[in-house]
Each structure stands twice: as C-alpha cells, then as structure tokens.
C-alpha cells in the first residue's frame, strides 16, 4: 500500500479492486458461505480464552450452542468464556466441556441444569447474570467483549442477511441477537435454511455478518415455539389474574393509549386475558404491548385493542406468523427494548408490567434467580428492566408453592430492587408499596383486598411454617449485575 | 417369608405426599426415608411430625417412606396417620408381636 | 352458627385433595363444602376423613362458612365421620340422604353428645339437610322443623330425579316439584333454601339462567362444583336496580312506621306485610354482598 500526502490528508493509491479491503464482488454466488463451523472458527481465528456469544431464540430446541462447543472442543480450544443471552435444559451437555476445561466461565443467563451445576460450585469464576437490557449495555460499554458471535439463523442468504420468520426452525423475532451481531468482532451465522438473496425481510443485515455456515438442522421445531399458549384453567392462577386486572383497571392508567407488558407465564397470560375483557367492556384502545409476544397479544392487536406489538421474542406459532404478516407487529432489539444506556428504550414508555417471582420480600425486593432452596435456576430476563421502566410494576405470585412461602422477610437473592416494584398480587391479598401512596389512593375502596406486605408474609407462614434458611458456602458462584452495571447481589455456593 | 404389614396413604399429586408405613416383626426402632422438595427448609419438622404421629399411635418400630410433593404439615400428618392406621388394620400374622 | 348468613354459593371440595382443601375459600364462595361423601371413593373414606379433620384444625379459613358433607349415618362411614369432624366444630355439617325427621334427630343427638364430650356448647355445629329421594321430599317439612341446628334445606338433583324416575334435562322441569317443596318447607321452618348443582361446568350461560330462575323462585343460593361457577351464580344472585330501589323504599317505609309506633306500613297507598319487609331485607343483603350498594355499609 503506497501512501503519500495531499495537503493535510494522508491518501493511498489505488492498487486494485478488493486488494486492500477484501470484497465478495465477483465471487457473489458463493458469498460468505463456508463449508463447516470448524472452517468458520478457523477463519475467525478462534483462540483459547476467547469469548463466544449466542442468542437463545431457539430456546429448549436449540442445537447450535452444543454443536459449536463440540466443534471448538474438537479443535482443542480451551478456556472459553461463554456469553449466551440464555441457556436452557437442552444445554446440560455443555457441562462436560466445563469439566474438561473447554469452557472456563459463563456470562449470561443460566436456566436449569447449568445453573444447578454452578450452584454446586462447578465453575472456577462466578456466572455473571445480566438482564436483557443489561447485557447490551455491557457490550456497548466494552465490559462484555465478544470475540465471536455464533448466531442461529432460521433463514439466511449467502451474504448473511438473517431472519427468524421462516424455515423449519422459525422462531419469529431475533431481538436478542442484534447486539451480538453489532458488537462481536466476528459474526458467524449458522442456518438450516439457505434462501435466495436477498432474504427480505431480514432482521440482521449482511453488513454485520462475516460467514454463513449451512448445517443440516439448527433446532427442534416443537421445542422452539409452542403451539397456541392456552390461558390456564388453574382456578388459583385465575383468581390472581382477576386481581391483577382489577388493580390495572383502577390504577389510574387504564385509559386510551394504555400500554403493557405481560409474559407468557401462566398467571401473566391469564392476567392479559382478564385485562383484554376489561378493555373491551370499557371500550379502551391501547397503544402497545411489548416484550415476549404470544398468540393472545396477536389477537388483541387484530381486535384493535392495541395499535402495535413490540416483539423481542415470539413465544408461539401465532406470534411468529403475525410478525411475518401484521404491519403493527414490529421486531425490536434487546437494546431498543430495555437498554438503559441506549438513547431511549421501550420499557420507559410502559404503563403496566406484570411480572413473576420466585420470592418477594417485605421490602418488595424480588428474586427471580434462585429457588427457595438457594439453587440458581433462572435467568433475569427483562425483569429488572421492565420493573424499573413501567409506571406501575405488578408482581404476581401465589402466597405459597407446595410448602414454600413465596413472601419472606428477605429474598435469598435480590434480582429486582423493591423500589421499582409497586404492587404484589397474591390469591389472598394485594400489597401496595408504601412508596406509592398515589396508587394506594386509587386502589382503596374498589373491592381489592389490600393488605400490608408483612401481613401477607405472616399469612403465608400460617400455612407453611417458617422455613429454615438454606446453608451457603463462602464461594460466590453468581453475580447479579443490575441493568446499570452495578452489582445488586451475589449468589453463594449451596452446601 | 417375613411377616410385614404395609399401609400406604396419599398420592404423588402436587401438594400431596405418599406415605408408606411398614410394620414387621424384624424391624427395631424407626427407619425414616424422606424424599421432598422442601427437605432443606423443613426436613427437621417433617421428621418430627412423622415421629410424633407414630408415638401417638403407639408404634415403636416401623419403616416409613415419605415421598413428598410439597405437602403442608397438616397433610403430612394426615397421610402418615392414615398409612399407619391402614398398616395396623392389616391382620397380624402369628410372628408379629405387640 | 350464623343462621342467616349469606349462602349464595356453596363450593364442593373433594376431601381427597389436599391442595384444593388448602385453597378452598380463595375462590370467593360464601360457603365451602369439604366433601367426605360422593366426592370420595369408598377406598379413601378413612384417609379423607383424617385429611379433612386436619384441614379444619390447621388451615386458617377466614372468610367462608366452612361445612363438611359427612356420610349418612346409615352408611358404615357416617359415625366415624361425626366422631372425627364434630370436635373441630365446623360451621355446619351437610347431612346427605335425609329421609325423615328421624335422620335429623339421630344426627342431632350424636352431635350433642360429641359436642359435650369435647367441651363445645351444644348446638354449635349447624345442620344443612340434603334430601335425595321421593320419601325425603315428602318429609321435608318435618325434616326442616326437627332441630334448632337446622339452618338450610338442600336437595340432590341427580339422586332425587333417579329416585322418582324422572329424566334429567337441561331445562330442569323435572325439578319443579322438589324445588317447590324445598322452598315451602324452608319458609315454614324459617330456614334457608339451597338449590342443587348445575353439572355442566362449561355452560356458564346455562348456569346463569338456572341460578337466576331459582333466585326468583325464592332460593337463597346454589351449590357449585367448580370455582368458575362462583362469579356466575353471584351475578345471578345480584338483585336488579329495580328490585333494590323497591326494597329501599319498603325499608324506609318500615323504619318510618316503626319510629311512629304504627302497626301498619303503607307504601304507595298499599299495605305492606311482614314477608314483604323480610324479602326487602334479603334483597338489600344480596345487593350489599355484590358490592352494588355504593355508600352504604
């Protein structure tokens, strides 16, 4: 490369198309396709100690994470940091790569068996747990530096335009994958559905993708998206859902332009159904539903109850089909959804969020990570993001599950701080955070069984007795990072 | 052939508990096995409950197996009592003392 | 024992299911029925009896009336049921297969005996009699009058229609006769009349229509077999604005007449008798329970 000066500007002489910056140009038929994951990893110059990221849109049907780690292990790579947006029970087979030293640590959500293994002290360094928004923030801030992102793509073209709405492993939105594509040094797309160029409409553009690897299969369809998620018939959950709807109706926010987020959990789904009936009865037209999108959200869009759906992950087949066809149904990235360090995220625009919990304490702190026995079994998801953003955050839980009280003096792990939680709804009573006097005023005298949270706790213990606190060792096995990057809590090894 | 009297009560449905009480001439003292999701939090209480019921029913020797699915204490009490009473109701063979 | 408490809905909970027993009152029924009878197979009678006894002892029921449907004393299980249940003093027992005043007398005597043994004021535990046969239907007036414990009459639609040889239909005309008998006998004895269950838990419109019909016939409530039936029956037992308006005027006229010491109550130029006042009171109680009496408590 010859350089010379022209005025103040350093310039370079032309040496031939594609010489300085390689372009695909005339080799367009082949595009970025490479024959195998191994070859892609070689091109990406994967070395020991690198950080490899994945998205979890294929949920428990994902084949790509295990496939990639098997290949990396075969290549003799060691000491990797895994940075998945989440892991599922299907990823239990990663544990042998941890034991053999291929994987050193995990920065990302761990659900099920990998979490349990972490709680037993399998990893030498703690799992870093981040929310959906917090994960993007950490990438943006350079705290989570991803060397190689491996992105499962239900549809891809030879140039690396990626989409989730078609193909045998269709998953709908690719919301959590955007940040990986944007911030990773190298991006490898893995697909079982190579389509003609261009793969319009695409979610992730070719400008961010280095290589495309066609494989036999990336997922098990029936474990990726469920059939229609039916509203629960469990009467206890329905009672809680009814109370949520009542709280929402009287919250002062239940007017035109209303917006909400409610997950796909049993109570949340039922609560949406109850809110839907009340919106119809009151003739209210809302603005948007955000977060994980279900067939029920789609029906509410199509009924005109809401103007749009902002979809970071699509839970069922109806949601996938709607994302492909409904104009009001938009895909959004995790950053757009929940990143507090972005220039504006959706959670801040939310009126009501309905969220679950594995424990709530009398300071309204919520634990979604560890079970009552102290074992790390769940990721954060968007919990702390939506709680912080929504005007009214409603946490739903039965008073007790089995013999374990769900309302306790102090949660084992603080995932979401009590100062961002406004209402706790159980089947036997509703507690409003004393910080929210305005809300309390709105809800009083409306036939809602309002109680002090301490009384809810006592009532739970009347049924269950007072549980012994599980015993923990000294070793920290998990760090719960708040969405702003500070540490809100740590999780210790179970002994 | 051992002379055993076995009583079973409860179920493996959620919030229930399956209790098996085995009375036999051979067994001495109490052998208690508990399998429960709440073991870490309520193991001691569960053990005490079962022992208390056995004492109330005047059973000094038994093998007891508890398969818990998140039962409240009053349920564990009820299932243990029912299982023990069912075992006691089995006609005793000649070898069974007491 | 509260004779006149609201009993719009009585929810059956099988005595075999510990999860449902713990959550029995969460669904908002006015009364719950912890069932030892038809909801429990013969092989589980012993275990259910102990489970329900323990539930009465340990589950902190707060809002609902708690009743137990025991097995009839004519069965091999009835006496044991009484022995285990009465010492825990539930609000009432529901006495199935009530054929005659003798059945009530026998139950009453046994209850008194157990109450005394356990240091419970005799008469604490109420009786809700369930009639399920032609003979029982004929004897309803005697059944209702037999014991001061008796707080309500109920009938079992399935067994009763089978006994008289009628066919069960959606319209329920075959129940006209027993319903009339229950109402009349209950009113003579000054106790409540409770209607039987509506079996199709998926037909909430049918349930509403039937519940409304029996309220207009004079029933005070209806048994339900699924939590989702509760709000539907409560809706049917919510008086119309017109009814509430009239009831309020009746009560105002009554109060006004009482304050004057007048024996005769008049409204719109018509005489008002005691039953009309009683009915007005009942309508206002129903309206209050349904939360449609704003500003009144």
């Amino acid at each position: 490369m010859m350089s010379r000066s022209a005025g103040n500007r350093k310039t370079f002489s032309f040496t031939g198309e594609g010489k300085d910056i390689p372009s695909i140009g005339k080799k367009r038929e082949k595009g970025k396709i490479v024959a195998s994951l191994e070859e892609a990893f070689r091109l990406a110059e994967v070395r020991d100690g690198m950080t490899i990221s994945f998205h979890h849109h294929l949920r428990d049907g994902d084949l790509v994470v295990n496939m990639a780690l098997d290949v990396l292990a075969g290549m003799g790579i060691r000491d990797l940091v895994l940075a998945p947006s989440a892991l599922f029970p299907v990823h239990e087979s990663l544990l042998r790569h941890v034991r053999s030293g291929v994987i050193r640590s995990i920065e990302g959500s761990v659900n099920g068996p990998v979490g349990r293994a972490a709680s037993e002290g399998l990893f030498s360094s703690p799992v870093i747990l981040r929310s959906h928004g917090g994960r993007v923030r950490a990438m943006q801030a350079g705290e989570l530096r991803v060397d190689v992102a491996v992105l499962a793509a239900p549809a891809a073209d030879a140039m690396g335009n990626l989409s989730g709405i078609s193909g045998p492993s269709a998953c709908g939105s690719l919301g959590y994958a955007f940040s990986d594509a944007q911030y990773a040094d190298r991006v490898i797309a893995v697909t079982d559905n190579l389509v003609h160029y261009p793969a319009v409409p695409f979610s992730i553009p070719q400008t961010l993708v280095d290589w495309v690897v066609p494989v036999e299969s990336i997922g098990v369809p029936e474990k990726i998206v469920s059939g229609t998620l039916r509203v629960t018939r469990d009467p206890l959950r329905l009672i809680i859902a009814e109370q949520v709807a009542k709280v929402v109706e009287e919250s002062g926010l239940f007017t035109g332009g209303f917006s909400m987020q409610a997950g796909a959990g049993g109570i949340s789904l039922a609560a949406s159904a109850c809110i839907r009936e009340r919106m119809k009865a009151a003739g209210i037209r809302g603005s948007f539903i955000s977060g994980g999108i279900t067939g029920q959200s789609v029906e509410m869009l199509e009924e005109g109850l809401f103007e749009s759906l902002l979809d970071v992950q699509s839970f069922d087949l109806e949601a996938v089909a709607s994302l492909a066809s409904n104009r009001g149904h938009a895909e959004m990235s995790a950053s757009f959804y929940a990143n507090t360090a972005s220039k504006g995220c959706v959670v801040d625009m939310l009126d009501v969020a309905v969220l679950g919990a594995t424990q709530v304490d009398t300071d309204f702190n919520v634990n979604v990570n560890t079970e009552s026995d102290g074992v790390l079994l769940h990721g954060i998801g968007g919990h702390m993001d939506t709680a912080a953003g929504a005007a009214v955050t409603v946490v739903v839980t039965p008073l007790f599950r089995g013999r374990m009280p769900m309302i306790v003096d102090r949660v084992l792990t603080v995932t979401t701080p009590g100062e961002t939680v406004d209402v706790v709804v159980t089947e036997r009573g509703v507690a409003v955070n004393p910080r929210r006097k305005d809300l309390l005023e709105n809800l009083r005298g409306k036939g809602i069984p309002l109680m002090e949270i301490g009384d809810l706790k006592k009532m739970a213990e009347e049924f269950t007795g007072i549980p012994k606190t599980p015993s923990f060792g000294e070793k920290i096995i998990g760090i719960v990072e708040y969405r702003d990057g500070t540490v809100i809590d740590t999780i210790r090894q179970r002994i | 052939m051992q002379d055993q009297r076995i009583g079973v009560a409860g179920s493996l449905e959620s919030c229930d508990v399956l209790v098996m009480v085995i009375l036999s001439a051979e067994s001495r003292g109490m052998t208690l096995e508990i399998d429960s999701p709440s073991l870490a939090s309520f193991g001691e209480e569960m053990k005490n409950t079962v022992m208390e019921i056995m004492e109330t029913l005047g059973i000094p020797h038994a093998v007891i197996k508890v398969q818990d699915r998140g039962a409240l204490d009053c349920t564990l009490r009820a299932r243990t009592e029912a299982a023990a009473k069912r075992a006691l109701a089995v006609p005793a063979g000649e070898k069974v003392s007491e | 024992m509260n004779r006149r408490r609201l009993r719009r809905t009585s929810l059956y909970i099988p005595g075999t299911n510990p999860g449902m027993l713990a959550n029995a009152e969460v669904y908002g029924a006015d009364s719950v029925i912890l069932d030892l009878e038809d909801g429990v197979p013969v092989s589980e009678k012993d275990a259910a009896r102990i489970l329900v006894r323990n539930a009465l002892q340990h589950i902190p029921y707060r809002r609902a009336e708690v009743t137990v449907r025991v097995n009839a004393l004519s069965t091999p299980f009835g006496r044991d049921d009484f022995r285990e249940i009465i010492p825990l003093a539930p609000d009432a027992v529901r006495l199935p297969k009530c054929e005659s005043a003798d059945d009530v007398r026998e139950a009453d005597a046994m209850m008194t005996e157990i109450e005394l043994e356990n240091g419970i004021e005799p008469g604490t535990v109420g009786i809700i009699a369930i009639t399920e046969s032609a003979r029982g239907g004929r004897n309803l007036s005697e059944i209702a009058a037999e014991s001061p414990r008796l707080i309500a009459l109920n009938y079992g639609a399935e067994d009763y229609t089978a006994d008289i040889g009628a066919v069960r239909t959606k319209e329920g005309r075959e129940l006209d006769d027993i319903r009339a008998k229950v109402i009349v006998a209950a009113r003579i004895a000054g106790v409540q009349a409770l209607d039987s269950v509506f079996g199709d838990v998926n037909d909430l419109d049918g349930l509403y229509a039937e519940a409304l019909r029996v309220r207009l016939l004079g029933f005070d409530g209806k048994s339900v077999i699924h939590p989702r039936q509760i709000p539907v029956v409560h809706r049917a037992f919510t008086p119309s604005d017109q009814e509430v308006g009239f009831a309020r005027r009746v009560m105002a006229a009554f109060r006004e007449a009482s304050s004057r010491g007048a024996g005769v109550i008049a409204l719109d130029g018509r005489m008002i008798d005691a039953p009309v006042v009683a009915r007005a009171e009942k309508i206002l109680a129903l309206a209050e329970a349904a939360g449609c009496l704003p500003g009144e408590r």
Side-chain angles (χ1 to χ4, degrees), chain A residues 154-159 161 163 166-167 191-200:
Chain A
D157 63 32
M159 286 298 288
N161 292 299
S163 161
S166 61
T191 188
D192 54 5
N193 179 35
L194 200 58
V195 298
H196 291 298
Y197 184 87
V200 172

Side-chain angles (χ1 to χ4, degrees), chain C residues 190-208:
Chain C
V191 301
Q192 288 186 345
L194 304 176
D195 196 49
S196 193
V197 300
F198 183 81
D200 184 352
V201 296
N202 291 315
D203 181 7
L204 296 182
D205 292 338
L207 170 67
Y208 177 78

Side-chain angles (χ1 to χ4, degrees), chain B residues 5 7 23 57-59 83-92:
Chain B
R5 294 186 290 163
L23 306 177
L57 294 177
I59 301 176
K85 284 182 170 168
R86 284 175 177 183
L88 290 170
V90 175

Side-chain angles (χ1 to χ4, degrees), chain A residues 242-266:
Chain A
E242 267 297 331
Q243 293 294 358
V244 172
K246 240 189 235 175
V247 166
V248 169
E249 190 175 27
E250 304 296 349
S251 64
L253 298 167
F254 198 60
T255 55
F258 169 72
S259 63
M260 71 166 186
Q261 176 165 335

Side-chain angles (χ1 to χ4, degrees), chain C residues 78-195:
Chain C
R79 289 190 172 272
D80 288 338
D81 288 351
F82 275 74
R83 287 265 156 228
E84 294 287 352
I85 299 305
I86 302 299
L88 276 304
D91 291 310
V93 293
R94 300 200 182 226
L95 207 59
K97 301 193 169 52
C98 251
E99 298 273 297
S100 68
D102 291 344
D103 291 335
V104 177
R105 193 177 312 125
E106 190 187 5
D108 186 328
M110 186 160 179
M111 290 163 75
T112 301
E113 184 189 315
I114 300 172
E115 282 169 339
L116 286 170
E117 281 169 16
N118 287 276
I120 300 166
E121 174 75 21
T124 299
V125 181
I127 293 176
I128 295 173
I130 311 173
T131 287
E132 303 177 67
S133 68
R135 182 157 168 259
R138 192 195 58 195
N139 293 334
L140 270 166
S141 299
E142 290 74 33
I143 289 171
E146 179 58 33
S147 164
R149 291 179 190 272
L150 204 123
I151 49 183
L153 290 180
N154 184 207
Y155 68 97
E158 286 305 325
D159 286 354
Y160 180 79
T161 48
D163 194 52
I164 65 169
V167 175
R168 287 287 275 130
T169 64
K170 198 125 213 168
E171 295 71 36
R173 294 287 303 276
E174 67 279 8
L175 298 175
D176 286 355
D177 153 70
I178 184 71
R179 280 177 172 148
K181 285 194 168 95
V182 167
I183 287 286
V184 170
R187 292 296 104 88
I188 291 170
V191 301
Q192 288 186 345
L194 304 176
D195 196 49

Side-chain angles (χ1 to χ4, degrees), chain C residues 15 20 30 33 62 98 109 112 163 173 183 212-213 237 259 272 274 289:
Chain C
M20 290 177 74
D30 293 329
I33 309 170
R62 285 184 163 82
C98 251
T112 301
D163 194 52
R173 294 287 303 276
I183 287 286
L212 184 61
R213 197 161 65 239
F237 272 81
S259 69
I272 294 196

Side-chain angles (χ1 to χ4, degrees), chain A residues 263-325:
Chain A
I267 299 172
S268 299
L269 205 61
S272 293
C274 296
I275 292 169
R276 177 182 182 181
E277 290 313 312
R278 278 160 203 253
M279 288 180 79
K280 281 184 194 167
I284 284 175
R285 283 177 54 90
S287 56
F288 71 89
I289 296 177
S290 68
I293 298 299
T294 64
Q296 181 167 250
S297 333
V298 172
E299 285 168 19
M300 289 162 89
L301 175 76
E302 289 173 351
E303 287 166 354
L305 292 178
F306 285 92
E307 285 168 10
S308 43
L309 307 180
L310 300 174
D311 186 346
V312 74
Q313 70 173 324
S314 318
F315 279 120
D316 56 21
L317 292 166
E318 285 79 356
V320 175
S322 163
L323 182 62
S325 61

Side-chain angles (χ1 to χ4, degrees), chain A residues 39-99:
Chain A
E39 191 184 337
F41 283 136
R42 220 163 260 142
L43 291 166
E45 297 174 354
V46 174
R47 292 187 311 276
D48 291 356
M50 278 190 162
T51 298
I52 315 283
S53 83
F54 301 90
H55 69 71
H56 73 276
H57 285 286
L58 305 187
R59 288 175 276 263
D60 206 28
D62 174 65
L63 298 177
V64 171
V65 175
N66 290 342
M67 188 192 306
L69 268 295
D70 288 349
V71 169
L72 290 162
M75 294 167 72
I77 307 284
R78 297 180 60 79
D79 235 9
L80 294 170
V81 177
L82 220 59
S85 53
L87 292 178
F88 281 78
V90 66
H91 301 119
E92 182 169 11
S93 67
L94 293 179
L95 293 176
R96 65 190 162 90
H97 296 310
V98 178
R99 294 195 182 95

